[in-house]
Amino acid sequence: MERKNLFIAVTSLAVLLVGLVVYFGVFSIGDDGGAFFVGVTYCGGSVEEAKEFVDRVRGCTNLFVLQSGVLQYDVLAMEEIGDYVVASGLSYAVYGGTRNDVGLNRWLVNAKERWGDWFVGIYYNDEVGGYMLDRTVFLEVAYELEGRSVALPRVVKTIEGAVILCNYVDGQGGEPVLLSLITYWPDGRIIMEDFSESVVITYYSDGSVEVFENRKGNAYTTVSGNITKYLGSVQCYEQVLEQNPIQTYDDAAKAYVNMNRELIEEINKTQLEEEQILVFTADYGLYWWDYQSGYDLVLAELAWNHSDTKEIALARGAAKLQNKQWGTMITWKYTQSPYLTDGEEMFEQMKISYETGAGYVIIFNYSEDPANPNTFQEEHFQALERFWNEVVQNPKITHGSIKAEAALVLPQNYGWGTRNLDEHIWGIWKPDNTTQIVHNQIQNKIDKHGLKLDIVFEDPNHPVTGKYPHIYYWNQK
């Protein structure tokens, strides 16, 4: 038995030493002094398949991200995979996209104790900026009742860009009762559903009002001068508009940052910082405010035929002025098989990410086919190997060698996604008079500076003065 234990101990030490050799040999340190990680995600639900994927990429990566919606709840599976990843000489990170409990914080702290610096951190929630731009978002997710938080939405931003204000009153037994919904539409309409009066009122910006009184089944149309004569619930347009919790871009930025900050704080961000556990996400918009929400690292998604140069400019600029880390995630180019781009383009995306100073480059390996959740083809493995050998291990190519020589400064809290001229600002407002100007300036400065451009935002807390040789403002001719 003693010989068996000795053999196990020696074997474990050998594996660890091999891992350390790999660990210290794979990080390419550029003149920015930062370490570089290149990795993959595994999104399936099989421990053995995850291990097989580790074996396939261990020679050309140094980071493995367990991005499994299923396995994030399986502590034993996460630990078994993590042990295998670290023993293979790779760093490890896990996904926690739908968890925000105390148990997750405890597991993360234990993971740091278990694997030390080999454990990088948590991929916490996904595409939070993209959701704000394109989907329904609960900007305030709790209703305060007698000092306790109840899981009911207070403010909702819908896919169509409408903002819904939910108003509650205390009902019998101390439970909240929904009193009214007020929906503010991008075209200026305001619809109030008053459940206490059983009435639905539509307000228009020209002062006209339509009222449907459910109990009587009668519909009325009147003008602002007469609206107070028949129902106490009816107000003038300006009075209802004043109740909108998101009236300006500053309001939207504050609501977005507060929403994400509260979610991050639920896993005790302060403690994670003390333990040097990264909290990161991948996104395709609003990087500036992702960082303000508390994320340590944002991975700009290179996908959907968007401009890689523009995404890098937005991510690198936000990270530089806010003193954060940044990286890229190479994800879907198509909405169906083969999902990922071809190997040649993938190689070029990894290469420019490396040369522009990204600290992390991660390949998203997931499909919507339950029978085969992996998207990697042989050409993608070859692209990774080529990148590892020809770029990461090549002393002639320097990490971060392409530096920003210029910055384009956009308006403060201008949460436009920059993808197209029809895109809503903060997912709420239609393009304004500034949109075309900003679009033209971005294109002009990219044409002039290419990958040497950063795109940032006016912010007194993060001044741009003195940070770049050339500084342009969006409203300069």
Side-chain angles (χ1 to χ4, degrees), residues 13 21 68 84 204 250 260 273 299 326 425:
L13 179 60
V21 171
S68 171
Y84 194 82
Y204 296 93
D250 291 345
N260 290 318
E273 287 178 353
L299 305 171
W326 73 281
I425 302 161

Side-chain angles (χ1 to χ4, degrees), residues 355-382:
E355 291 179 320
T356 52
Y360 295 75
V361 175
I362 298 176
I363 313 299
F364 181 60
N365 177 39
Y366 171 77
S367 79
E368 292 185 331
D369 181 3
N372 182 21
N374 301 304
T375 54
F376 264 62
Q377 305 296 321
E378 183 59 32
E379 63 178 319
H380 303 129
F381 289 115
Q382 292 176 2

Side-chain angles (χ1 to χ4, degrees), residues 18 168 306:
V18 170
Y168 301 93
H306 296 166

Side-chain angles (χ1 to χ4, degrees), residues 329-395:
M329 174 171 278
I330 299 173
T331 183
W332 289 3
K333 183 174 183 177
Y334 312 103
T335 57
Q336 57 189 10
S337 182
Y339 295 103
L340 292 175
T341 185
D342 60 56
E344 183 62 34
E345 184 176 22
M346 179 179 288
F347 170 80
E348 291 298 330
Q349 289 176 321
M350 289 189 286
K351 185 173 183 289
I352 64 170
S353 299
Y354 182 86
E355 291 179 320
T356 52
Y360 295 75
V361 175
I362 298 176
I363 313 299
F364 181 60
N365 177 39
Y366 171 77
S367 79
E368 292 185 331
D369 181 3
N372 182 21
N374 301 304
T375 54
F376 264 62
Q377 305 296 321
E378 183 59 32
E379 63 178 319
H380 303 129
F381 289 115
Q382 292 176 2
L384 262 175
E385 292 170 0
R386 180 186 171 196
F387 173 68
W388 185 262
N389 294 324
E390 296 182 12
V391 178
V392 178
Q393 300 285 11
N394 187 351

Side-chain angles (χ1 to χ4, degrees), residues 79-118:
E79 291 177 349
E80 182 177 351
I81 293 171
D83 286 342
Y84 194 82
V85 167
V86 172
S88 300
L90 307 182
S91 292
Y92 188 44
V94 298
Y95 180 65
T98 58
R99 297 184 60 189
N100 55 11
D101 52 72
V102 176
L104 177 57
N105 170 270
R106 186 180 303 115
W107 187 90
L108 292 170
V109 173
N110 290 339
K112 194 67 174 181
E113 295 176 354
R114 186 185 188 102
W115 297 301
D117 290 340
W118 296 86

Side-chain angles (χ1 to χ4, degrees), residues 410-428:
L410 302 187
Q412 183 169 348
N413 289 329
Y414 193 70
W416 177 54
T418 75
R419 290 171 293 178
N420 58 73
L421 286 171
D422 296 327
E423 185 171 12
H424 283 198
I425 302 161
W426 286 109
I428 299 174

Side-chain angles (χ1 to χ4, degrees), residues 398-411:
T398 302
H399 177 228
S401 59
I402 301 177
K403 299 185 180 301
E405 64 184 13
L408 173 62
V409 185
L410 302 187

